[in-house]
Amino acid sequence: MKLRVIWIFVVVVCLAACQPKKKEINFPKTDLAEVALIPKPVKTIATNSAFALDAGTVIFTTQTDSNFEAVGKFLSQKIKLKTGLNLGVNHTNDEQPMERVVYINQSDSEDLKSPESYQLYIKKDSILLNAKTAAGAFRGIQTLRQLIPEQTNDTLVDHPLWLIPTGKVLDEPRYAYRASMLDVARHFFTVDEVKKYLDILAYYKYNALHLHLSDDQGWRIEIKSWPKLTEVGGASEVGGGEGGFYTQEEYKDIVAFAAERHITIIPEIDMPGHTNAASLSYPILHAGGKADTPRVRTDMLVGYSSFHTRKDTVYAFLDDVIREIAAITPGPYFHIGGDESHVTKKKDYIHFVENVEKIVLKHGKTPVGWNEIAQADISSSSVLQLWNEPHNAVKAAKNGSKIIVSSAEKMYLDMKYDSISKYGLTWAGMIPVDVAYNWDPNTFLEELPQESILGLEAPLWSETISNSTELEYLAFPRAIGFAEMGWSPAAHRNWDEYKLRLAQQVPYLSRMEVNFYPTKLVDWPE
């Protein structure tokens, strides 16, 4: 395998070398270590020259895996959007001689220790990106995208070119799971709004998006066997708006868009609490007793609703819901919620969680739940998401479960930045950009073994936001810092150095029309 890869790359480079060349360019010194990369790579070695990206550059990829070619095409599309260059992928342009090569290679190198590891070797006439998987190659091209300068340097030659610093980037993620959550239940977000969020997350090497698809105020995904869920439950949201929902075809479109970016979609149906919209659609699901009678809810209150935990009809309903969603969700996870079910008796709650876990497993998915589910006798294969009860996370970890860290006081993107924030809540405290960045998940909870941490997730609840502009205000720039926290070694993170790199993200954020919060903690460029 190694010999074949080397031979292919040599042939590609030789093809480039055999093309008629323009006059040798004397590149100004460029320093790879000075580029404001986020997340910060594990290792960067500068060689102080440059690769000239121009119309004579061609992208080649491993041909034995079509997913690598897809990564090459994605890179070509993003380069065109940034520079206007239309680079061929696995073919040359007859009108433009091939002068330089970007080769995206599937490698079996033992130095690539995780599925998302990559090696980036940049020379004056070639760029070699090694990865074991297409996911690793995709993470690598995000680094390459960030290395392309904003401005062309056409003072050296008679045509536009972009100078990419030469050197090596050897990189791999700290955590296998790096996610955000978007609450589309309290306020509905369109397919295009979700896609924009996914595109930005991908740029910063996130690999999962958790969609909170149901809550008291709305049900957001079509279930063909229970149509009133969207007819009734999908028609409301916080503040009295019209709500909305995704058809299964629209949901599949989101899943496919995410998959192209090597991001896994994790669907959540929150239960047995947070279920008012479902019980309003089908009153037979309602618990009765202490649970409030279902009605249209447009407020932000929590804890008053519950499914009936002893009715066979409820479990038949959930079997249908989980079956239909699982069938159109290729990722391994299904989130069952489980938080803030205050009016469900503890014994009924435990009975419910254990039954729903079995349904999820039956449909071939790994159950995920908020930390309250550790009260039940959950399987060690189930994943627990820690938001506010450390003792439950510790208990689950001792049982063998992996833990997703989503501390409300550190990671909730819906908390205000400070007293002058336009949107957001304060119940978990305000979270300035530096506070969000300056902590370590591995030491946050001393009793939690490092090996039990699956990764991080930054939730964005939508009680106070209703469109992309408001979403971006709360998410960015904090979500960029969480990207680095999830990817980069803890020893590499330093707030004073990071905030300089963060300031240099403005051209990308502006190009993407991201309405980020311009915190005064960062010296943003004019």
Side-chain angles (χ1 to χ4, degrees):
M1 176 68 176
K2 284 185 179 178
L3 288 175
R4 184 175 67 179
V5 167
I6 293 170
W7 180 82
I8 292 172
F9 184 62
V10 168
V11 169
V12 170
V13 172
C14 285
L15 283 171
C18 291
Q19 300 295 324
K21 288 197 172 184
K22 297 180 181 179
K23 184 179 178 181
E24 181 73 18
I25 304 170
N26 293 316
F27 294 118
K29 282 192 175 183
T30 55
D31 190 346
L32 182 64
E34 291 184 357
V35 180
L37 297 174
I38 299 179
K40 192 171 186 178
V42 172
K43 191 172 186 179
T44 304
I45 303 169
T47 53
N48 301 313
S49 187
F51 174 95
L53 179 72
D54 64 5
T57 304
V58 177
I59 299 170
F60 284 91
T61 73
T62 290
Q63 294 289 282
T64 54
D65 186 338
S66 61
N67 292 317
F68 275 74
E69 184 171 32
V71 171
K73 289 179 178 178
F74 187 94
L75 175 61
S76 177
Q77 291 165 3
K78 294 301 184 181
I79 288 175
K80 185 175 183 179
L81 286 173
K82 185 172 184 176
T83 67
L85 296 174
N86 189 15
L87 305 188
V89 180
N90 292 327
H91 66 81
T92 57
N93 185 342
D94 293 337
E95 299 177 1
Q96 177 67 49
M98 179 175 67
E99 296 182 335
R100 281 165 291 278
V101 176
V102 176
Y103 185 57
I104 303 173
N105 172 53
Q106 186 172 29
S107 170
D108 58 2
S109 170
E110 293 181 358
D111 292 330
L112 296 166
K113 296 178 182 178
S114 83
E116 293 180 290
S117 300
Y118 68 91
Q119 302 162 333
L120 190 59
Y121 300 97
I122 306 168
K123 298 183 178 181
K124 292 178 67 173
D125 59 357
S126 62
I127 295 176
L128 172 62
L129 172 60
N130 281 334
K132 280 187 176 180
T133 69
F138 188 84
R139 307 302 169 220
I141 68 167
Q142 306 318 309
T143 299
L144 184 53
R145 288 174 64 191
Q146 292 189 27
L147 289 172
I148 300 171
E150 293 297 320
Q151 301 298 326
T152 179
N153 191 334
D154 53 9
T155 59
L156 300 173
V157 290
D158 59 359
H159 65 279
L161 58 79
W162 287 257
L163 297 180
I164 299 175
T166 57
K168 301 176 184 178
V169 178
L170 308 176
D171 207 7
E172 62 184 8
R174 183 185 188 192
Y175 296 114
Y177 181 94
R178 306 172 308 282
S180 181
M181 186 215 78
L182 181 59
D183 171 15
V184 299
R186 270 54 175 274
H187 278 101
F188 180 68
F189 293 88
T190 67
V191 171
D192 286 342
E193 287 174 322
V194 176
K195 285 182 175 180
K196 183 180 180 183
Y197 193 45
L198 280 163
D199 217 18
I200 302 166
L201 294 178
Y203 186 75
Y204 293 108
K205 298 186 174 71
Y206 279 80
N207 65 2
L209 177 64
H210 166 185
L211 290 177
H212 185 75
L213 293 167
S214 71
D215 215 296
D216 293 313
Q217 299 85 1
W219 183 284
R220 305 302 181 204
I221 186 166
E222 175 190 25
I223 303 298
K224 294 181 184 297
S225 53
W226 297 79
K228 288 185 180 179
L229 288 169
T230 48
E231 292 171 9
V232 176
S236 57
E237 62 182 15
V238 167
E242 64 183 11
F245 67 91
Y246 308 116
T247 65
Q248 291 195 7
E249 289 305 310
E250 288 171 330
Y251 177 80
K252 287 191 284 187
D253 184 31
I254 291 172
V255 168
F257 186 88
E260 185 183 12
R261 286 147 183 80
H262 294 270
I263 292 177
T264 298
I265 295 295
I266 298 148
E268 179 189 357
I269 299 300
D270 204 351
M271 48 188 162
H274 291 278
T275 48
N276 177 75
S279 293
L280 178 65
S281 305
Y282 291 97
I284 194 172
L285 304 173
H286 179 52
K290 291 183 179 180
D292 284 2
T293 300
R295 58 183 173 84
V296 174
R297 300 296 295 243
T298 61
D299 54 43
M300 296 188 291
L301 298 177
V302 298
Y304 54 80
S305 61
S306 181
F307 281 151
H308 199 300
T309 64
R310 302 289 173 169
K311 276 186 180 179
D312 290 343
T313 305
V314 170
Y315 296 108
F317 161 78
L318 292 173
D319 188 76
D320 286 338
V321 168
I322 293 167
R323 171 180 52 81
E324 289 195 31
I325 297 175
I328 55 176
T329 306
Y333 301 112
F334 191 102
H335 204 300
I336 63 173
D339 62 318
E340 298 177 320
S341 194
H342 300 321
V343 296
T344 313
K345 292 179 181 178
K346 184 173 181 178
K347 64 179 181 180
D348 292 335
Y349 177 87
I350 290 171
H351 175 80
F352 180 87
V353 168
E354 291 172 359
N355 275 277
V356 172
E357 182 189 59
K358 291 174 185 175
I359 296 172
V360 172
L361 290 169
K362 183 182 79 170
H363 291 292
K365 300 299 180 183
T366 297
V368 185
W370 299 105
N371 46 233
E372 289 93 328
I373 70 167
Q375 297 173 81
D377 183 16
I378 60 173
S379 165
S380 61
S381 65
S382 290
V383 176
L384 185 135
Q385 187 166 359
L386 168 63
W387 71 282
N388 78 334
E389 294 179 339
H391 66 278
N392 276 326
V394 173
K395 177 184 176 183
K398 287 179 179 178
N399 187 49
S401 288
K402 293 294 185 181
I403 309 299
I404 297 169
V405 177
S406 296
S407 168
E409 65 188 74
K410 297 290 189 182
M411 297 195 71
Y412 267 32
L413 294 170
D414 54 302
M415 294 298 108
K416 287 188 173 186
Y417 292 91
D418 49 43
S419 61
I420 62 173
S421 292
K422 191 180 297 185
Y423 308 103
L425 300 170
T426 59
W427 62 262
M430 288 181 282
I431 308 179
V433 176
D434 58 343
V435 170
Y437 185 82
N438 275 328
W439 64 287
D440 185 4
N442 276 8
T443 58
F444 176 66
L445 184 57
E446 290 182 3
E447 302 92 335
L448 187 64
Q450 294 182 18
E451 60 271 17
S452 295
I453 300 176
L454 180 64
L456 309 179
E457 181 174 301
L460 180 49
W461 302 99
S462 66
E463 289 96 333
T464 67
I465 59 172
S466 59
N467 56 51
S468 270
T469 298
E470 296 165 0
L471 181 165
E472 292 156 12
Y473 179 96
L474 286 178
F476 303 106
R478 287 181 294 198
I480 301 173
F482 293 137
E484 180 148 301
M485 182 179 291
W487 183 278
S488 305
H492 286 192
R493 290 192 295 112
N494 174 280
W495 165 253
D496 289 332
E497 187 271 339
Y498 167 74
K499 69 181 181 180
L500 301 177
R501 286 183 286 121
L502 180 59
Q504 294 182 63
Q505 303 305 303
V506 169
Y508 168 74
L509 297 173
S510 298
R511 190 165 61 251
M512 290 293 291
E513 299 181 341
V514 175
N515 180 44
F516 67 94
Y517 178 65
T519 172
K520 293 181 180 180
L521 297 170
V522 175
D523 186 14
W524 304 102
E526 295 294 332

